[in-house]
Amino acid sequence: MKLLTVLVLAALPLYCSAGSGCSFLEEVVSKTINPKVSIPEYQHFLEPVASTPEEQEVLADAKECFLNQSNETLTNFEKMMQIMYSSNFCVLH
Amino acid sequence: MRLFLSVLLVTLALCCYEANAIVCPDIAKDFEGFLWEDKTAFELSLQKYRAPPENVQAVLDVKTCIDNISAEGRSQLVAILGHGGHRVEDETRGELR
């Protein structure tokens, strides 16, 4: 029982801290990569933090960079994000 | 058993509670590098993740396009990501949809 307690306590912080540390950022990245999210949808999602015409335009430019990529590139980009989120640099954050 | 459950619940509350949106510093740095850094230097900074070459290349391919956005535009993108983090702190559980 004591051993179980120690193991659970040791595992929980590592499990809970895995990730970028910011679910909003992860969601932004996810929508940026997702080819099913259109430019207008993307702009609307980020409108609370990017409401000026200039900001909306730059969001469109950035999103277009991703929409112009092949599915293979987007898949590999997503995999890179997962590697970064689950890396020791972030797990121990 | 009661003690174990109590400790478990407290630990869950402390460890899994997202008090704010503090981004992992390395992630934040690499996201900025994606937007700002010279491609060669940025590629070097990604080596620490020891990711498969095709995953790294995918990021670099997109960066080629991102680098065509004006400096002012990329500066705005950095600011947007930064505001988003703070916005989650300010909002009640930050529903930005």
Side-chain angles (χ1 to χ4, degrees):
Chain A
M1 196 61 199
K2 284 182 185 175
L3 177 62
L4 178 62
T5 305
V6 169
L7 287 174
V8 169
L9 289 177
L12 275 173
L14 290 173
Y15 176 78
C16 292
S17 63
S20 72
C22 177
S23 59
F24 168 74
L25 185 62
E26 289 182 37
E27 189 169 6
V28 171
V29 171
S30 176
K31 288 188 185 297
T32 305
I33 297 171
N34 188 345
K36 293 179 182 176
V37 175
S38 67
I39 291 177
E41 283 177 82
Y42 187 66
Q43 290 171 311
H44 179 69
F45 168 71
L46 285 168
E47 200 169 7
V49 296
S51 57
T52 69
E54 294 79 17
E55 288 170 330
Q56 288 279 299
E57 187 178 342
V58 79
L59 287 178
D61 292 342
K63 178 61 178 171
E64 192 171 5
C65 281
F66 285 83
L67 289 174
N68 289 339
Q69 304 300 319
S70 68
N71 285 336
E72 184 181 0
T73 297
L74 294 176
T75 300
N76 282 321
F77 193 103
E78 169 64 30
K79 285 180 183 176
M80 185 68 193
M81 293 298 103
Q82 293 307 317
I83 289 169
M84 291 168 70
Y85 296 153
S86 59
S87 73
N88 286 335
F89 301 101
C90 281
V91 166
L92 298 176
H93 169 63
Chain B
M1 190 63 187
R2 283 184 195 171
L3 176 61
F4 170 73
L5 285 175
S6 300
V7 170
L8 176 65
L9 287 172
V10 169
T11 307
L12 274 171
L14 289 174
C15 294
C16 299
Y17 175 61
E18 284 189 18
N20 55 39
I22 300 176
V23 180
C24 164
D26 282 284
I27 291 279
K29 188 180 170 188
D30 288 328
F31 277 26
E32 283 204 30
F34 176 70
L35 293 170
W36 280 119
E37 220 171 357
D38 162 73
K39 204 172 184 179
T40 306
F42 178 62
E43 185 176 4
L44 279 173
S45 74
L46 292 182
Q47 284 183 358
K48 61 182 179 284
Y49 296 110
R50 299 185 184 187
E54 61 271 19
N55 296 163
V56 175
Q57 189 56 51
V59 175
L60 297 176
D61 287 348
V62 182
K63 182 168 169 51
T64 299
C65 178
I66 293 291
D67 286 348
N68 289 325
I69 297 174
S70 68
E72 185 180 349
R74 282 178 281 141
S75 175
Q76 286 174 324
L77 287 172
V78 172
I80 288 166
L81 290 177
H83 282 144
H86 290 124
R87 182 61 183 256
V88 172
E89 285 180 31
D90 295 340
E91 294 279 346
T92 306
R93 283 295 132 241
E95 284 298 330
L96 296 179
R97 293 183 188 81

